Amino acid sequence: MIAVWQMNSSIISNKGLKPYFYPMKEPKNILITGGAGFIGSHLCRHMVSSYPNYRVINLDLLTYAGNKDTIEDLESYSNYQFVCGDITDKDFLEQLFKEKEIDSVIHLAAESHVDRSITDPLAFVKTNVEGTANLLNAALKQQNFQRFYHISTDEVFGSLGAEGFFTEDSPYAPNSPYSASKASSDMLVRAYGETYGLPYVISNCSNNYGPNQFPEKLIPVCIEKALNNEAIPVYGDGKYTRDWLYVQDHIEAMDLIFHKAENTKTYLIGGHNEVQNIDLVNLICERLEEKLQKESGSLKKLISFVKDRPGHDKRYAIDASKLETELGWKPKYDFKQGLDCTIDWYLDNKKWLERIHSGAYQITNSKKQ
Ligand code: NAD
């Protein structure tokens, strides 16, 4: 039987309001899950450097998507600790929460690639649904637990037509096993708040891009294929539209939401930046042609339309005005600037990519656990 979240006495005596409407006190021991992945690594770096008073515990299983190369620099911070472990292991999590006196969680660990979810949906249910439930259970058992911040995606809302935007009130309508597993995890977080009073916030963000993204996602795939003079695959007619946000802007939004949002709130995060896949790929080719002083059009010739992904959502677009008006967030990077930073990073870090393709990063991962 799960114990109801322990209410602290000052909260109980305060005007009879529900405990979870109170803003968070200063956290001490933050568990960030998935911190060896793309977004989590940027978040861990931001938290350890911006908040020296916090102890950041980065819990990651180091699956194929986790990479210790990416977070090597974090080991020099005295307020940082890496733990290799699995969020689907309930007993391990309960022990970890007790030992590290975890008082808040920012939960990013997930299986995150839509194509992989189509070939192996159960892996997504296991990690994204069961793993999230295990974390919620462990948080519930923790005395003085402050905040469970769940990181989710705009994909839970399904597909838009040519017009309109997702808002916090949009109905959930996931179309892929990935988005269905994320939608399920969002629902579990909400239910733990409603049923047990667990203090939580959720955000649903659009497509992120930036340094350190695993080379199975559209932008790094395109950069890498172009660099290797290989065919650049584009699904269907290439007219799928995504809203792109530079990862650092997502991190700033997360920082605000983690520290300032009222419990039970949900925020949508987006870049006001809708781009069709084909336009994005053309732009990357143009920027690379210029940077590498290649003949104009020489990389665009590599674009190759491939068989569409089943259940492919046509368009995502975000209305982020709630986050902007309530918490004062605005993205800082314009798309061309962010894309240039991203392309330059991949050009300057070819070794990072090589170590992924040779498998050397996984040898390092297994040694450094
Ligand atoms: P990622 O695939 O790069 O990283 C996921 C990390 O989770 C990896 O380091 C992996 O090792 C770890 N992990 C996987 N299974 C685990 C388990 N069982 N136990 C512990 N760790 C495990 O993903 P990302 O792109 O950085 O996304 C992070 C989060 O943000 C995800 O929850 C994703 O749904 C969400 N999100 C991503 C985007 C995006 O555009 N990338 C947009 C919106 C929301």
Side-chain angles (χ1 to χ4, degrees), residues 33-41 59-67 85-88 107-113 126-128 131 150-155 178 182 203-209 212-214 216-217 244 250 254:
T33 69
F38 166 45
I39 303 172
S41 62
L59 169 65
D60 197 295
L61 183 59
L62 297 174
T63 66
Y64 81 92
N67 189 340
D86 190 344
I87 60 167
T88 71
H107 175 36
L108 295 97
E111 289 292 342
S112 71
H113 189 43
K126 178 99 184 148
T127 298
N128 300 357
H150 180 59
I151 307 302
S152 192
T153 167
D154 59 355
E155 298 183 39
Y178 164 64
K182 290 298 291 187
S203 60
N204 298 80
C205 188
S206 63
N207 277 33
N208 284 215
Y209 67 100
N212 298 116
Q213 190 167 28
F214 196 81
E216 64 182 355
K217 306 275 168 74
W244 291 93
H250 189 186
M254 284 196 246

Side-chain angles (χ1 to χ4, degrees), residues 57-292:
I57 295 115
N58 175 4
L59 169 65
D60 197 295
L61 183 59
L62 297 174
T63 66
Y64 81 92
N67 189 340
K68 276 232 129 178
D69 289 353
T70 306
I71 47 172
E72 215 175 1
D73 59 306
L74 296 183
E75 299 294 342
S76 64
Y77 287 87
S78 57
N79 61 337
Y80 169 81
Q81 208 183 338
F82 179 80
V83 176
C84 184
D86 190 344
I87 60 167
T88 71
D89 183 341
K90 170 175 151 301
D91 296 337
F92 156 75
L93 279 186
E94 282 175 16
Q95 189 62 28
L96 181 76
F97 272 65
K98 268 195 214 112
E99 247 174 43
K100 306 287 182 196
E101 298 177 0
I102 301 299
D103 54 27
S104 47
V105 171
I106 309 181
H107 175 36
L108 295 97
E111 289 292 342
S112 71
H113 189 43
V114 175
D115 290 347
R116 287 179 190 259
S117 82
I118 294 167
T119 48
D120 188 5
L122 294 188
F124 283 66
V125 174
K126 178 99 184 148
T127 298
N128 300 357
V129 185
E130 190 182 325
T132 301
N134 287 339
L135 280 165
L136 290 163
N137 268 342
L140 211 52
K141 291 188 174 162
Q142 211 54 3
Q143 291 249 339
N144 300 322
F145 188 78
Q146 305 264 350
R147 168 147 290 180
F148 193 100
Y149 178 15
H150 180 59
I151 307 302
S152 192
T153 167
D154 59 355
E155 298 183 39
V156 298
F157 303 115
S159 188
L160 288 167
E163 303 285 319
F165 298 90
F166 295 133
T167 71
E168 286 75 7
D169 297 325
S170 297
Y172 274 47
N175 290 321
S176 73
Y178 164 64
S179 54
S181 68
K182 290 298 291 187
S184 309
S185 63
D186 295 10
M187 297 297 168
L188 277 169
V189 175
R190 181 192 145 85
Y192 272 66
E194 291 300 314
T195 305
Y196 307 112
L198 187 80
Y200 76 91
V201 285
I202 299 176
S203 60
N204 298 80
C205 188
S206 63
N207 277 33
N208 284 215
Y209 67 100
N212 298 116
Q213 190 167 28
F214 196 81
E216 64 182 355
K217 306 275 168 74
L218 181 59
I219 290 181
V221 164
C222 176
I223 296 172
E224 208 183 9
K225 295 284 182 194
L227 290 179
N228 295 339
N229 224 23
E230 289 169 6
I232 303 169
V234 174
Y235 278 128
D237 60 4
K239 299 239 165 93
Y240 293 98
T241 303
R242 299 294 180 258
D243 172 50
W244 291 93
L245 182 71
Y246 192 61
V247 65
Q248 207 52 44
D249 281 324
H250 189 186
I251 300 304
E252 300 222 343
M254 284 196 246
D255 182 327
L256 271 177
I257 293 167
F258 179 65
H259 288 102
K260 303 257 192 278
E262 277 177 37
N263 283 320
T264 76
K265 284 222 174 182
T266 290
Y267 289 95
L268 261 52
I269 312 172
H272 301 293
N273 185 41
E274 283 181 58
V275 190
Q276 287 193 346
N277 287 351
I278 188 61
D279 294 337
L280 171 61
V281 172
N282 273 316
L283 184 60
I284 293 172
C285 290
E286 277 164 28
R287 300 303 299 131
L288 278 170
E289 284 163 8
E290 198 180 311
K291 285 174 192 291
L292 302 173

Side-chain angles (χ1 to χ4, degrees), residues 306-334:
V306 298
K307 188 170 178 274
D308 213 348
R309 167 196 277 168
H312 207 159
D313 291 330
K314 194 75 192 162
R315 176 173 166 261
Y316 306 138
I318 296 272
D319 174 356
S321 53
K322 181 177 169 191
L323 179 60
E324 291 168 4
T325 51
E326 290 189 3
L327 298 184
W329 175 82
K330 266 219 176 312
K332 291 189 178 132
Y333 285 80
D334 82 33

